[in-house]
Amino acid sequence: MANNLGLAVKPVTETPVEEIERVAAWINTEEYKELNFKREALVVAPPHACQPLGAELAAHAFEGSLPFVHGSQGCASYYRSTLNRHFREPAPAVSDSMTEDGAVFGGQNNLHEGLENAIALYKPKMVSIFTSCMPEIIGDDLTAFIKNARNKGIVPADMPVPYANTPSFNGSHIHGYDAMFLSILQALTEGKKVEGRCTGKINLIPGFDANTGNFREYKRIFEAFGVPYTILGDISEVFDSPLDGTYRIYPGGTKLDDAADSINGKATISLGPFSATKTYAWVKDNYAGKHTAIPMPLGIAKTDAFLMKIAEITGKPVPESLKAERGRAVDAMTDAHQYIHGKKFALYGDPDQLIGYVSFLLEMGAVPYHILCSKGNKKVEREIQALLDSSAYGKQGKIYMGKDLWHLRSLIMTDPVDAIIGDTHGKFIARDAKIPLFRFGFPVFDRVNLHRYPIIGYQGVINMVTTICNKFIEVVDETCEDRFFEMMR
C-alpha cells in the first residue's frame, strides 16, 4: 500500500475481539487491582477539579463581583463551562487571554488591558482575580501587576480587587476556593474593624458547596431562630435566579457592605472546615466575637450540633418548628430504614461532604464500605475513622486517601457494593458494576435540578432518605419476577 507520494502506509492493526474481551475481564480481577494500586506517576479520573474553578465559585458569590482569570482563554472556558453544566445557569467571567508572548514576556500587559476593558464593559463593583497554570509557571507577580494598574488609573481607587494565586497543577477546587475566599474577605474588611462595635449578626462560612438549596436552607434555619445573619459567599441567587425575561450579569451574592462589616460580627461559624481552612484561621485572628468550625449539617447528629451551636451563641432555644422538622426526619428514616439497612456503599467526594455522608449512612444502619478521598489529609482520615469506629455499621469500612476513580473501580469490581454516592463522574463505574449512583456533590452534569434540593439540615435528611430508598425500591420492581411484583414495598 502506498500514498500519492509513493511512501509506504502502515496498515491499521485491529485488536481481535478475543483480546478485547480478555482485557475487559482482566481489569475486574484481584490481580489487576494489585497492579492498579501500585501505580504512582499516573492519575486516572481524579474526583476533583482544579484550583481556579473553586476560585471562580468564590468570586461569583459576592455582590457585583466579576471573576477575572489571569491566564489563557481556554482555561477560563473550562471553569465557566463546568459551572454552566452543573447549575445550568450562566457563569459570566472574563480572561486576559494570555498566549505565547505572555508566556515569554509576562502577562502584565494582558492583565492591564483586560482590566481596563472589563471594568468599562461590565461595570463590576469588585473584580476578583485568580490565576491559571501559565502565569504561575512563569512566576507572574500579581501584587506588583495590580499595584501598577492602580497607579496607572486602570482600576478605580475605591474598587476592591482581591486576587489569589491558584495554580492548577497542585491542590484542588477546594484549595482554590479557600484562597480566593480569603482574599475577598481580606480586601473587603480592610480598615473596617471598629473596636467595641458588634453587628449582632452571626457570620456563616459554608465552604465549597455547589448546592443552592443548601444556602436557602441555612437562611431558613437562621430565620426560624429569628437571629440576624450574614451568609459569606452566598450563591443561592447567583446560580438559582428566576427566569423573568431580564438578564442580570450580577444576580445576587453577599452584599459587599455586609461582608465588609462581618469583621464586627457577634460570631462566625465555619461549616466547611476542610474547604475554608486558611480562611477560618485568618478569621480567628482578625474577626471580633466567637469563632467555631463544625462539620456540615448532613444527617441528624450533625444537624443537631449545628442548631445547638446557634442556640449556644445566641442564647435562644431551638425553635419548636425545627424540633418538629427533626421529628419528621426521624420518622422518615424509621419508615424507610429497611430499604437501606445493611447495604454497602462506595463514597467519594470532598472531605466535608464525605464526613457528612458517612455520618448519615451510619445513622441509617447502612455500611460506608469503600470511602475514597482524592485530596484529603491525615486529619480528614482520622475524623472519618472516628465515625466508623463509633458504630457497628462502620467496622467494615475502609478509607482510601489520595486515590482516584480508577482505583475505586477496581475496589468495586473485586469487592462489590450495593450503590455509589458521588458526582456524575462515577456513572461509568456504576454502569460497569450495575449498581445505582446517587448524585450528591459537585459536579452533576447528567441530571437536572439536583442542586436545588438541599441535603443539609433535617429537610436534607428527608431528601437523601427519599432519593436513596426509592431507587432501591425501583431496582426491586425492575428486576423481580412477575410473582413478586407487588403494590406494596
Side-chain angles (χ1 to χ4, degrees):
M1 185 187 301
N3 58 22
N4 293 334
L5 298 177
L7 301 175
V9 177
K10 184 178 179 179
V12 175
T13 302
E14 293 187 2
T15 303
V17 173
E18 295 79 12
E19 178 64 8
I20 294 173
E21 292 175 348
R22 184 192 71 79
V23 173
W26 178 59
I27 63 174
N28 298 335
T29 64
E30 285 284 346
E31 177 190 20
Y32 181 84
K33 184 183 82 172
E34 290 181 12
L35 293 172
N36 190 13
F37 272 76
K38 287 180 180 178
R39 62 183 163 88
E40 297 178 359
L42 176 67
V43 177
V44 182
H48 64 263
C50 62
Q51 284 206 51
L53 189 147
E56 180 164 332
L57 186 70
H60 278 297
F62 291 83
E63 174 195 19
S65 173
L66 179 64
F68 188 109
V69 181
H70 178 49
S72 69
Q73 180 60 48
C75 291
S77 296
Y78 158 63
Y79 319 140
R80 293 179 60 185
S81 66
T82 301
L83 295 173
N84 288 153
R85 288 184 291 162
H86 174 77
F87 293 110
R88 302 190 184 229
E89 295 285 334
V94 297
S95 165
D96 56 19
S97 302
M98 286 181 67
T99 53
E100 291 85 350
D101 58 342
V104 175
F105 301 109
Q108 178 167 256
N109 290 338
N110 292 74
L111 180 66
H112 288 183
E113 186 175 350
L115 281 171
E116 188 172 20
N117 290 336
I119 292 169
L121 287 171
Y122 305 119
K123 299 176 175 54
K125 293 184 177 181
M126 177 171 77
V127 179
S128 302
I129 303 174
F130 50 97
T131 54
S132 64
C133 286
M134 186 192 301
E136 289 295 324
I137 291 172
I138 65 176
D140 272 1
D141 187 347
L142 277 184
T143 302
F145 290 1
I146 294 170
K147 181 179 179 181
N148 293 339
R150 287 200 186 276
N151 290 339
K152 290 180 179 179
I154 294 171
V155 177
D158 60 346
M159 177 178 285
V161 184
Y163 59 93
N165 294 96
T166 53
S168 302
F169 45 78
N170 65 25
S172 74
H173 57 281
I174 64 173
H175 302 102
Y177 179 91
D178 192 14
M180 189 74 256
F181 197 86
L182 171 58
S183 181
I184 290 171
L185 290 189
Q186 288 174 331
L188 294 177
T189 60
E190 185 177 2
K192 302 295 184 180
K193 190 169 185 179
V194 179
E195 197 65 36
R197 170 171 163 71
C198 179
T199 65
K201 292 183 177 181
I202 297 178
N203 303 314
L204 186 73
I205 299 175
F208 186 98
D209 186 349
N211 184 308
T212 57
N214 285 350
F215 286 81
R216 298 193 190 285
E217 197 68 3
Y218 289 132
K219 293 176 184 180
R220 194 176 65 82
I221 289 170
F222 279 118
E223 286 160 8
F225 268 95
V227 298
Y229 63 91
T230 298
I231 307 289
L232 292 168
D234 182 5
I235 63 166
S236 58
E237 290 297 321
V238 178
F239 290 114
D240 191 15
S241 58
L243 181 59
D244 59 6
T246 300
Y247 174 71
R248 300 170 181 85
I249 191 171
Y250 309 113
T254 304
K255 298 290 186 184
L256 298 189
D257 288 344
D258 290 343
D261 210 13
S262 66
I263 199 167
N264 301 305
K266 180 183 181 69
T268 301
I269 301 174
S270 176
L271 292 176
F274 292 107
S275 61
T277 306
K278 292 180 180 178
T279 300
Y280 181 65
W282 181 82
V283 163
K284 282 198 299 181
D285 290 338
N286 292 276
Y287 269 44
K290 298 177 181 179
H291 319 99
T292 186
I294 58 177
M296 288 182 69
L298 283 160
I300 294 292
K302 297 201 180 304
T303 299
D304 288 350
F306 175 48
L307 299 190
M308 292 305 292
K309 183 58 66 175
I310 297 174
E312 175 192 324
I313 290 170
T314 63
K316 291 192 172 188
V318 176
E320 291 300 319
S321 61
L322 295 180
K323 290 181 181 179
E325 277 186 28
R326 186 186 194 279
R328 286 191 289 271
V330 172
D331 187 43
M333 296 168 75
T334 305
D335 291 345
H337 81 278
Q338 66 266 35
Y339 303 110
I340 191 174
H341 182 90
K343 290 193 181 292
K344 293 180 179 179
F345 284 79
L347 326 171
Y348 64 92
D350 297 343
D352 294 307
Q353 281 84 2
L354 269 181
I355 291 166
Y357 301 155
V358 171
S359 182
F360 164 78
L361 289 175
L362 293 175
E363 290 174 344
M364 289 298 296
V367 179
Y369 196 63
H370 302 309
I371 304 163
L372 185 139
C373 185
S374 65
K375 287 292 183 180
N377 54 34
K378 288 293 183 183
K379 187 175 180 182
V380 175
E381 186 173 7
R382 286 194 299 270
E383 192 158 337
I384 295 175
Q385 189 62 56
L387 280 172
L388 295 176
D389 293 341
S390 70
S391 169
Y393 304 107
K395 301 304 181 184
Q396 300 177 67
K398 190 170 180 181
I399 305 164
Y400 299 89
M401 303 300 290
K403 301 302 181 184
D404 57 44
L405 291 183
W406 194 245
H407 290 117
L408 186 64
R409 187 190 183 281
S410 280
L411 291 170
I412 290 173
M413 300 308 290
T414 57
D415 193 358
V417 295
D418 297 292
I420 306 172
I421 291 178
D423 65 68
T424 287
H425 293 101
K427 69 185 298 181
F428 303 99
I429 303 173
R431 185 176 184 179
D432 287 349
K434 298 179 175 57
I435 56 177
L437 167 67
F438 297 108
R439 292 160 173 82
F440 304 130
F442 172 86
V444 176
F445 296 147
D446 60 337
R447 297 292 185 272
V448 298
N449 294 326
L450 292 186
H451 66 277
R452 294 184 166 103
Y453 285 80
I455 60 172
I456 63 98
Y458 301 129
Q459 184 58 51
V461 171
I462 294 172
N463 290 343
M464 292 180 75
V465 167
T466 303
T467 299
I468 293 172
C469 292
N470 278 341
K471 180 59 181 179
F472 283 137
I473 295 170
E474 285 176 15
V475 170
V476 173
D477 274 348
E478 291 166 359
T479 58
C480 70
E481 298 176 23
D482 287 350
R483 59 185 174 143
F484 296 125
F485 192 67
E486 304 287 352
M487 291 290 289
M488 285 292 293
R489 287 294 182 193

Short mmCIF file of all heavy atoms in Angstrom, two decimals, residues 149 305 352 402:
data_model
loop_
_atom_site.label_atom_id
_atom_site.label_comp_id
_atom_site.label_asym_id
_atom_site.label_seq_id
_atom_site.Cartn_x
_atom_site.Cartn_y
_atom_site.Cartn_z
N ALA A 149 -1.43 48.70 38.09
CA ALA A 149 -2.72 49.04 37.47
C ALA A 149 -3.41 50.17 38.22
O ALA A 149 -4.00 51.07 37.60
CB ALA A 149 -3.62 47.81 37.42
N ALA A 305 -25.97 19.27 66.03
CA ALA A 305 -24.81 20.03 66.50
C ALA A 305 -24.84 21.47 65.98
O ALA A 305 -24.50 22.41 66.71
CB ALA A 305 -23.53 19.34 66.08
N ASP A 352 -15.38 17.54 53.42
CA ASP A 352 -16.52 17.97 54.24
C ASP A 352 -17.78 17.18 53.92
O ASP A 352 -18.53 16.80 54.82
CB ASP A 352 -16.77 19.47 54.05
CG ASP A 352 -15.63 20.32 54.57
OD1 ASP A 352 -15.26 20.14 55.74
OD2 ASP A 352 -15.09 21.14 53.81
N GLY A 402 -6.04 9.91 48.81
CA GLY A 402 -5.17 10.18 47.68
C GLY A 402 -5.37 9.24 46.51
O GLY A 402 -4.46 9.06 45.69
#
